[in-house]
Amino acid sequence: MVYLFNNKQISRAQAPKSIDDLLQAKWKDKMGMDQDADDYIAALLDYYGDEKGKQIARALGAQQLNIRKGRTLVSQLVAAGEFPIQIDAHHHEAVALRQAGAPVDYVFPEPFIPVKSVSAFVISSHSPHPHAAALLVDFMLSKKGQEIAFKQRRWPAYKELATGGPDDVGNRKTLVPDAEKWGSRYDELVQLTALLGR
């Protein structure tokens, strides 16, 4: 996830780059976020720990976030100038908007980059052709399959496919929320996410 900003309203130099930047008074009522931000909150808690992560979630909520349903919608509202910043934009959507000529840019947040939970391949237990489904999964996990995903602006599992250029995360810390840990604490995440909209 990246911080997406409308570059007609904010320059790259002015754009927030960290959680501390987001909590500055000047960004109050100027940031948007998806209402289903449980993965973002989980990443905060995983990185900072429960106590400090919850403090940050409450402080973000006090910033009067513009909460909407759907990250794509929030990204489009930033591009339209409804509010200047989205704090949980998908990287591939930010790239697509910029390539389409929208007045947006983005930065990778510091000190870590929250990563949306990885996409899953699901095979029905009563699939009429389970071996064909397994072959598709094998192909999509192969280097060739990951090259196709990368060409569609998705981050690949093969790091060497996405090296170089402005979108290479390099040595930056990335964090995928622990699905096993948060699966059992999902209700808690939903309650914390609700704090963001108050």
Side-chain angles (χ1 to χ4, degrees), residues 2 11 16 21-22 27 35 37 53 85 87 97 104-105 109 116 121 145 148 156-157 181 188:
V2 296
S11 70
D21 291 347
L22 297 178
W27 300 123
Q35 79 176 22
I85 303 165
I87 63 177
L97 281 169
V104 297
D105 203 353
K116 176 86 173 145
F121 286 103
I148 292 169
K181 170 184 174 183
E188 179 184 348

Side-chain angles (χ1 to χ4, degrees), residues 64 92 94 111 133 136:
Q64 296 177 352
H92 66 276
L136 174 63

Side-chain angles (χ1 to χ4, degrees), residues 132-195:
L135 284 172
L136 174 63
V137 171
D138 282 346
F139 173 73
M140 288 309 299
L141 295 176
S142 73
K143 190 170 183 180
K144 181 73 173 168
Q146 290 295 294
E147 285 171 352
I148 292 169
F150 182 58
K151 287 178 185 171
Q152 295 175 341
R153 300 185 202 103
R154 305 290 182 165
W155 270 1
Y158 286 83
K159 188 171 178 126
E160 66 271 13
L161 292 176
T163 57
D167 294 324
D168 181 6
V169 296
N171 292 328
R172 293 180 184 111
K173 170 121 176 97
T174 57
L175 195 148
V176 178
D178 182 347
E180 190 172 313
K181 170 184 174 183
W182 292 111
S184 62
R185 294 178 65 188
Y186 182 74
D187 289 341
E188 179 184 348
L189 285 177
V190 171
Q191 290 172 355
L192 282 170
T193 303
L195 291 175

Side-chain angles (χ1 to χ4, degrees), residues 6-7 10 15-16 19 21 42-44 52 55 58 67-68 72 86-87 96 100 119 150 158 168 180 193 198:
N6 184 304
N7 60 17
I10 299 172
I19 292 289
D21 291 347
L44 283 177
K52 186 171 182 184
Q55 288 174 353
R58 287 186 198 98
I67 304 293
R68 303 291 192 281
T72 300
Q86 178 181 5
I87 63 177
S119 299
F150 182 58
Y158 286 83
D168 181 6
E180 190 172 313
T193 303
R198 292 187 181 161

Side-chain angles (χ1 to χ4, degrees), residues 57-79:
R58 287 186 198 98
L60 277 173
Q63 288 289 68
Q64 296 177 352
L65 299 175
N66 294 282
I67 304 293
R68 303 291 192 281
K69 175 78 172 152
R71 282 194 177 95
T72 300
L73 172 63
V74 178
S75 297
Q76 291 168 346
L77 291 172
V78 168

